[in-house]
Amino acid sequence: MNMNEQRQIDGWFGEFGGRYVPETLVAALDQLADAWAEARSDPDFERGFRDLLRHYVGRATPLTYAPRLTEHAGGASIWLKREDLAHTGAHKINNTIGQALLTRRMGKQRVIAETGAGQHGVATATACARFGLDCEVYMGAEDVRRQSLNVFRMKLLGAKVNVVEDGSRTLKDATNAAMRDWMESVDHTHYIIGSVVGPHPFPSLVRSFQSVIGRETREQCMEVLGRLPDRIVACVGGGSNAAGIFTEFIDDPEVALVGIEAGGRGESSGDHASTLVHGEPGVLHGSRSIVLQDHDGQTADVHSCSAGLDYPGVGPEHAHWHTSGRVEYRGVSDERAIEAFCLLSELEGCIPALETAHAIAGAVDDAATMDPDQHLVINLSGRGDKDAEEARRLLGDLD
Ligand SMILES: *Cc1c(COP(=O)(O)O)cnc(C)c1O
């Protein structure tokens, strides 16, 4: 058994993880953990999942050399792992397809999900359409207003969107509402969590479905470079795209791993979403991790220009990698992310998601300090078509 497998079994990553849930959910989490353990030892499940990744999601996604960004940074060669080319335009589909397969395996017909900007909602609705599952997505009223096109997409895909009017009416409140639904519907409903967060087994389950990113990257680097990359940079919201690419390299100390969080508009509480940079240990949404909170343990408000990074928590495994020092985490501000959004568009012809743009800014800083014979991989977690409207609002019409 390797270290990854051990980590998946007990649900703890050092002092982080676990299950902080009402008793009514424990049986469902056990059922999910058992179904997943069974599925993993069933070659048919693995074959079915890989087949869908290939023929439905469009994997493997390419590893693309970025010559002009490399020249701009003036150091290491920069490569892009193209999750923007996966079906629905981001990495999230890897997880929702995997969990939809598990839903069927558990004999459940109804799926619920939470969504912030709507990306996970769309990816969940897509997987449910493909498998004929009933789908309801919880979304805060504020996000519904900001992301009305994604609400329409989910409806087109056959999902019902439940508007949440509680609290700040954003992702955190949508997650609470989805948890409440699950407590009452757990015998016939599966909750597809969208990142490496939540109670065990979700963090390891989601990471496992996303680890295809890292496996492909490793193979592609061996094929093209004949060796492993020197550094990998990914953005971190809940942490699923980062965990998906990092996990395959975690036992290779020669590969530096860097997670970039949302630095927002400043360092004060409420102005950013840099959970690992500024947070403290605490419990949020069913697991112990590092959380942005006030002195009473109340979850802090967060801000980021990118809705997918705008979350006051982070996956427990990232909290562990942070504490152990295996992964370096830094923040990148809204302003620099928007600059990087333009930079990749102009230099490489790829319009990145605003989330991803944070990783690009961080990677350019790092590449500049590296040697020309070194190689840096950016996980290009998603495409930016969804953000074009918001970018236009921030940048004006560019003429
Ligand atoms: C949702 C999203 C993220 C943030 O989520 P993680 O779980 O941290 O990966 C990053 N990039 C894109 C394109 C997203 O849609």
Side-chain angles (χ1 to χ4, degrees):
M1 189 185 294
N2 67 28
M3 260 170 64
N4 280 348
E5 276 160 327
Q6 182 56 46
R7 286 201 306 261
Q8 278 159 6
I9 285 164
D10 60 18
W12 285 93
F13 313 98
E15 60 179 296
F16 302 107
R19 267 183 196 170
Y20 293 78
V21 295
E23 223 170 325
T24 41
L25 292 184
V26 171
L29 293 168
D30 281 339
Q31 182 198 22
L32 178 62
D34 290 347
W36 183 48
E38 243 180 67
R40 280 159 56 90
S41 56
D42 177 355
D44 282 346
F45 180 85
E46 185 65 21
R47 206 172 307 126
F49 182 49
R50 297 226 172 184
D51 201 54
L52 281 157
L53 288 179
R54 182 157 170 220
H55 297 293
Y56 187 72
V57 177
R59 307 201 71 93
T61 60
L63 181 70
T64 307
Y65 181 54
R68 298 186 69 214
L69 191 67
T70 296
E71 194 189 333
H72 171 87
S77 290
I78 301 177
W79 300 78
L80 308 170
K81 178 58 178 164
R82 301 292 304 280
E83 293 303 294
D84 61 319
L85 295 179
H87 181 41
T88 71
H91 66 289
K92 288 203 171 72
I93 190 83
N94 302 324
N95 170 46
T96 60
I97 290 285
Q99 288 202 54
L101 281 174
L102 276 182
T103 307
R104 268 207 326 199
R105 207 176 163 94
M106 290 186 289
K108 295 183 174 183
Q109 178 56 32
R110 178 174 177 264
V111 161
I112 55 172
E114 83 294 340
T115 199
Q119 294 306 106
H120 175 56
V122 169
T124 302
T126 301
C128 288
R130 172 62 181 76
F131 291 108
L133 298 166
D134 304 328
C135 179
E136 288 186 38
V137 179
Y138 285 89
M139 189 168 182
E142 183 58 23
D143 291 330
V144 166
R145 187 186 62 74
R146 287 190 291 204
Q147 301 287 337
S148 58
L149 195 57
N150 271 339
V151 175
F152 181 69
R153 283 196 182 102
M154 287 182 255
K155 290 181 182 168
L156 266 182
L157 293 159
K160 178 166 179 254
V161 179
N162 297 321
V163 182
V164 178
E165 301 281 358
D166 308 324
S168 56
R169 307 189 303 166
T170 57
L171 176 59
K172 168 168 70 73
D173 314 291
T175 307
N176 290 333
M179 289 258 188
R180 274 198 302 277
D181 178 317
W182 205 32
M183 277 189 263
E184 282 160 22
S185 61
V186 68
D187 47 322
H188 61 281
T189 297
H190 177 56
Y191 176 15
I192 298 191
I193 287 186
S195 190
V196 285
V197 299
H200 175 67
F202 283 107
S204 35
L205 182 133
V206 175
R207 181 247 285 137
S208 174
F209 288 138
Q210 292 292 0
S211 66
V212 64
I213 307 173
R215 269 199 312 282
E216 287 175 6
T217 302
R218 194 180 180 96
E219 278 168 22
Q220 289 163 329
C221 284
M222 291 313 289
E223 199 180 302
V224 179
L225 310 175
R227 65 178 181 88
L228 298 181
D230 298 283
R231 185 172 286 257
I232 299 176
V233 183
C235 65
V236 178
S240 67
N241 85 86
I245 195 164
F246 290 169
T247 197
E248 297 297 316
F249 298 90
I250 218 83
D251 297 330
D252 301 299
E254 70 273 29
V255 183
L257 303 173
V258 181
I260 304 289
E261 297 190 313
R265 60 195 165 210
E267 307 256 306
S268 314
S269 177
D271 284 342
H272 61 79
S274 300
T275 307
L276 291 165
V277 175
H278 295 293
E280 300 286 341
V283 171
L284 180 66
H285 295 143
S287 59
R288 182 179 151 81
S289 183
I290 291 180
V291 181
L292 289 170
Q293 55 199 335
D294 68 15
H295 294 301
D296 299 328
Q298 289 299 309
T299 313
D301 289 335
V302 281
H303 164 82
S304 169
C305 64
S306 75
L309 302 186
D310 207 357
Y311 182 65
V314 67
E317 194 165 23
H318 285 287
H320 176 58
W321 289 335
H322 170 67
T323 309
S324 71
R326 175 62 186 95
V327 181
E328 177 195 338
Y329 296 89
R330 308 195 303 263
V332 155
S333 69
D334 283 355
E335 197 182 333
R336 297 211 49 227
I338 291 157
E339 255 171 48
F341 175 86
C342 298
L343 195 68
L344 195 75
S345 303
E346 280 175 34
L347 294 183
E348 298 294 343
C350 300
I351 302 177
L354 276 174
E355 291 84 1
T356 317
H358 289 73
I360 294 158
V364 168
D365 291 344
D366 284 4
T369 69
M370 295 165 68
D371 294 330
D373 62 349
Q374 292 189 298
H375 297 277
L376 180 154
V377 176
I378 303 173
N379 195 12
L380 195 61
S381 58
R383 67 177 183 223
D385 304 46
K386 70 181 178 65
D387 296 316
E389 197 63 49
E390 176 67 4
R392 184 165 69 168
R393 194 181 68 75
L394 295 166
L395 294 166
D397 274 331
L398 298 181
D399 45 29

